[in-house]
């Protein structure tokens, strides 16, 4: 009985979610969870709505609950990864994103998510790399570190003040979100400019380098993380070539028939791609 | 998202180097680009003329083909060709959903169009051009061409 009631509430919540009414959706999912707390989907649905609201910590709680209830929980890992990245934990985010990717590339029913998750794995890798790179740069230059810390503090203070105004009702939802985005953007721009100035003063480390072409997928032009090889020996990122095959089952280069079951993982190339992220400290790349 | 990254990179490469006869005119955003094209040999139909191409990209580019048309304005005409309608719409199989390949790119499409003109000696429009142009309100992506002659 309670499971049925929970299902009803979930459906109502889904309707609100579709309409973009995320707070209402969260409230209904919460009621559903009180009725039937062992359904993992209720937690992932609430996590998804909370993602839209930017409630990152709550998203993480929901995802962990959901994973406790259902181990191979692709969605929960994907939402978890997004919240972790937002909270600036790219290492954790990458682990979660990879788990989500593995789960969805193994499953036949969830391939439609593979494309988005694949792109997200890359985003985490890049964030992780950038974080490491920032630490390295900061160690090298204490002054830059101090200035960046100041900018970061300023940003956080401004964000807090907007949050307060939002809570006191001085600012509406949309206005608060817009102002926060602006503050974040201004901060990013300042940091970029600051680093550029420091880079000019240190020409040895200024040269931008290109990612080797053999690590880059010819369709998305992104560095690969799960390369597959066609029968003609050409490698692509799994998610992008599958997206192409779904529309047109042909080899992009030779136009001969090509099906998903013709693809084979290219393990050596995958290792080369993984190694790329570990090497090259101190290089700046044209992403 | 796919289109953004990919087009940014294509643009970067094109700024660095572009095939002979091609010039990038406008690429302010990642939805619509304009390029100028000259034919490199001395085909009397096209010598001394510069043609203007407009590329339109969907979010799904390069999984989906770009829409490409020739543009007519004060300085540019639509090249005479049995596969190019007088409103600039091009009937070329590689631009069609079925034959498009994501290994193609903006530059390679331009080169294909260049060679399509180079190899042509017919000073004529496709059959039924007038009717097609008069009646057509569709965008290139919504038209299913029948490729009656793949040799041209």
């Amino acid at each position: 009985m309670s499971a049925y009631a929970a299902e009803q509430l979930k459906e109502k919540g889904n309707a609100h979610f579709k309409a973009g009414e995320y707070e209402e959706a969260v409230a209904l999912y919460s009621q559903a969870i009180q009725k039937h707390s062992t359904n993992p989907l209720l937690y992932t649905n609430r996590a998804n709505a909370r993602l839209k609201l930017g409630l990152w910590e709550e998203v993480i709680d929901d995802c962990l609950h959901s994973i406790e209830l259902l181990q191979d929980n692709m969605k929960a890992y994907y939402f978890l990864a997004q919240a972790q990245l937002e909270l600036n934990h790219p290492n954790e985010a990458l682990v979660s994103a990879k788990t989500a990717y593995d789960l969805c590339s193994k499953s036949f029913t969830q391939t439609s998510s593979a494309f988005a998750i694949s792109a997200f794995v890359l985003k985490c890798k890049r964030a992780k790399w950038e974080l490491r790179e920032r630490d390295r740069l900061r160690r090298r230059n204490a002054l830059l570190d101090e200035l960046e810390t100041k900018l970061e503090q300023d940003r956080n203070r401004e964000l807090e003040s907007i949050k307060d105004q939002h809570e006191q009702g001085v600012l509406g939802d949309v206005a608060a979100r817009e102002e926060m985005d602006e503050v974040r953007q201004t901060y990013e721009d300042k940091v970029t400019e600051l680093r550029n100035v420091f880079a000019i003063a240190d020409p040895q480390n200024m040269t931008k380098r290109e990612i080797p072409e053999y690590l880059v997928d010819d369709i998305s032009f992104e560095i690969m993380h799960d390369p597959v090889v066609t029968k003609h020996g050409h490698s692509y990122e799994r998610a992008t070539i599958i997206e192409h095959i779904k529309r047109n089952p042909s080899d992009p280069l030779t136009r001969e028939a090509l099906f998903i079951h013709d693809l084979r993982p290219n393990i050596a190339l995958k290792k080369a791609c993984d190694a790329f992220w570990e090497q090259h400290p101190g290089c700046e790349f044209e992403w | 998202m796919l289109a953004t990254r990919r087009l940014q990179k294509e643009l970067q490469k094109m700024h660095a180097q572009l095939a002979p006869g091609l010039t990038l005119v406008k690429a302010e955003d990642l939805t619509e680009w304009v390029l100028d094209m000259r034919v490199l040999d001395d085909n009397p139909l096209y010598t001394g003329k510069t043609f203007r191409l407009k590329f339109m990209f969907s979010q799904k580019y390069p999984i989906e083909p770009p829409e490409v048309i020739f543009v007519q304005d004060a300085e540019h005409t639509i090249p005479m060709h049995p596969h190019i309608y007088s409103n600039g719409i091009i009937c070329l199989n590689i631009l069609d959903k079925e034959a498009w390949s994501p290994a193609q790119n903006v530059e390679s499409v331009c080169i294909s169009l260049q060679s399509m003109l180079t190899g042509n000696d017919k000073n004529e429009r496709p059959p039924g051009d007038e009717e097609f142009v008069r009646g057509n309100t569709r965008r290139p992506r919504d038209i299913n061409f029948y490729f009656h002659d793949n040799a041209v």
Side-chain angles (χ1 to χ4, degrees):
Chain A
M1 192 58 209
S2 63
Y4 177 75
E7 191 60 29
Q8 298 279 311
L9 288 162
K10 187 182 107 191
E11 291 303 325
K12 276 190 203 163
N14 290 352
H16 280 290
F17 185 91
K18 274 201 193 111
E21 296 151 2
Y22 303 118
E23 278 169 29
E24 289 82 352
V26 167
L28 284 157
Y29 294 140
S30 300
Q31 288 176 39
I33 286 168
Q34 284 183 340
K35 296 246 189 271
H36 188 62
S37 62
T38 56
N39 179 358
L41 290 179
L42 297 174
Y43 289 98
T44 39
N45 283 16
R46 189 168 69 180
N48 198 10
R50 285 174 160 173
L51 261 187
K52 303 279 183 198
L53 292 167
L55 303 167
W56 316 123
E57 272 99 358
E58 283 93 334
V59 173
I60 290 179
D61 287 344
D62 277 344
C63 292
L64 294 177
H65 261 292
S66 190
I67 292 164
E68 244 172 63
L69 295 166
L70 174 71
Q71 237 180 355
D72 290 345
N73 195 331
M74 187 270 289
K75 268 192 187 170
Y77 279 107
Y78 183 37
F79 297 151
L80 180 63
Q82 291 177 56
Q84 286 166 329
L85 190 63
E86 289 291 344
L87 289 171
N88 212 7
H89 298 307
N91 292 309
E92 289 84 345
L94 180 59
V95 173
S96 310
K98 275 184 168 167
T99 310
Y101 181 78
D102 287 344
L103 289 170
C104 93
S105 58
K106 271 183 216 134
S107 135
F108 287 102
T109 50
Q110 290 167 335
T111 43
S112 59
S113 318
F115 189 67
I117 297 179
S118 181
F120 192 75
V121 167
L122 192 70
K123 196 173 166 188
C124 293
K125 283 193 174 181
R126 201 172 286 145
K128 180 180 165 181
W129 195 86
E130 275 165 5
L131 187 70
R132 203 176 58 185
E133 193 55 13
R134 196 183 63 190
D135 286 348
R136 201 189 59 81
L137 275 176
R138 282 189 178 186
R139 272 199 303 279
R140 214 186 54 211
N141 200 322
L143 177 59
L144 180 62
D145 180 31
E146 204 178 317
L147 292 171
E148 283 197 21
T149 312
K150 287 232 156 57
L151 286 175
E152 212 175 296
Q153 286 166 352
D154 280 354
R155 179 199 62 181
N156 292 343
R157 208 167 31 239
E158 282 177 53
L159 289 177
E160 279 303 317
S161 125
I162 295 170
K163 232 179 181 174
D164 287 345
Q165 290 180 49
H166 181 221
E167 275 162 19
Q168 290 158 13
V170 183
L171 279 175
D173 287 347
V174 178
R177 203 173 309 140
E178 278 175 4
E179 284 199 20
M180 283 168 109
D181 285 346
E182 203 186 312
V183 168
R184 286 197 193 97
Q185 189 57 47
T186 315
Y187 164 78
E188 300 282 336
D189 293 346
K190 281 185 183 165
V191 169
T192 310
E193 199 173 338
L194 187 65
R195 283 186 201 165
N196 283 342
V197 170
F198 272 75
I200 292 166
D202 185 7
Q204 229 183 338
N205 291 287
M206 223 184 89
T207 45
K208 288 216 166 190
R209 303 189 199 187
E210 292 218 356
I211 300 170
E213 273 195 17
Y214 54 86
L215 303 180
V216 173
D217 169 42
D218 274 342
I219 299 177
S220 62
F221 287 9
E222 299 268 26
I223 181 165
M224 293 184 269
H225 65 88
D226 186 9
V228 290
V229 61
T230 67
K231 48 190 170 179
H232 301 286
H234 202 89
S235 292
Y236 298 92
E237 178 65 37
R238 184 190 295 274
T240 42
I241 187 71
I242 286 179
E243 202 63 19
H244 165 68
I245 290 176
K246 280 198 281 190
R247 268 155 216 269
N248 186 356
S250 70
D251 188 299
L253 287 176
T254 64
R255 299 181 191 280
E256 282 173 54
L258 178 71
F259 301 100
I260 293 174
H261 62 250
D262 294 326
L263 302 171
R264 297 287 176 273
N266 188 340
I267 293 165
L269 186 56
K270 182 178 168 52
K271 283 183 181 158
C273 292
D274 287 344
F276 168 83
W277 296 98
E278 299 308 319
Q279 297 156 0
H280 308 291
C283 306
E284 205 179 328
F285 286 99
E286 292 280 0
W287 295 118
Chain B
M1 191 163 73
L2 178 66
T4 312
R5 181 76 59 182
R6 157 98 184 210
L7 287 168
Q8 278 169 350
K9 293 256 178 85
E10 278 196 45
L11 199 56
Q12 243 172 43
K13 285 189 183 170
M14 288 166 74
H15 278 310
Q17 200 187 10
L18 203 54
L22 302 178
T23 333
L24 195 59
V25 179
K26 199 183 106 196
E28 283 159 9
D29 57 31
L30 300 175
T31 58
E32 199 180 291
W33 293 0
V34 177
L35 286 100
D36 277 353
M37 183 189 84
R38 279 183 304 110
V39 173
L40 296 171
D41 70 345
D42 48 9
N43 187 333
L45 286 172
Y46 312 116
T47 37
K49 287 183 187 158
T50 301
F51 301 109
R52 181 154 282 191
L53 285 163
K54 185 161 91 175
F55 280 73
M56 289 161 282
F57 308 100
S58 77
Q59 286 288 311
K60 290 244 169 79
Y61 175 82
I63 297 294
E64 282 176 2
E67 290 178 84
V68 189
I69 54 167
F70 280 101
V71 179
Q72 180 156 28
D73 58 25
E75 289 106 62
H76 304 90
T77 58
I78 310 283
M80 283 301 271
H81 190 285
H83 287 174
I84 301 171
Y85 290 94
S86 50
N87 59 1
I89 288 183
I90 305 161
C91 177
L92 176 65
N93 68 335
I94 59 155
L95 292 175
D96 188 70
K97 285 185 274 301
E98 300 301 310
W100 165 256
S101 153
Q104 299 268 3
N105 54 50
V106 172
E107 191 176 8
S108 74
V109 168
C110 290
I111 294 172
S112 296
L113 288 167
Q114 255 178 339
S115 69
M116 175 172 141
L117 296 186
T118 305
N120 174 49
D121 54 11
K122 294 187 188 130
N123 190 12
E124 58 189 48
R125 292 289 175 205
D129 177 60
E130 258 181 57
E131 280 161 74
F132 174 79
V133 170
R134 199 184 318 126
N136 185 60
T137 50
R138 290 170 299 174
R139 300 176 54 162
R141 64 154 187 232
D142 301 324
I143 301 171
N144 283 316
F145 287 112
Y146 168 59
F147 298 103
H148 45 278
D149 177 9
N150 283 325
V152 181

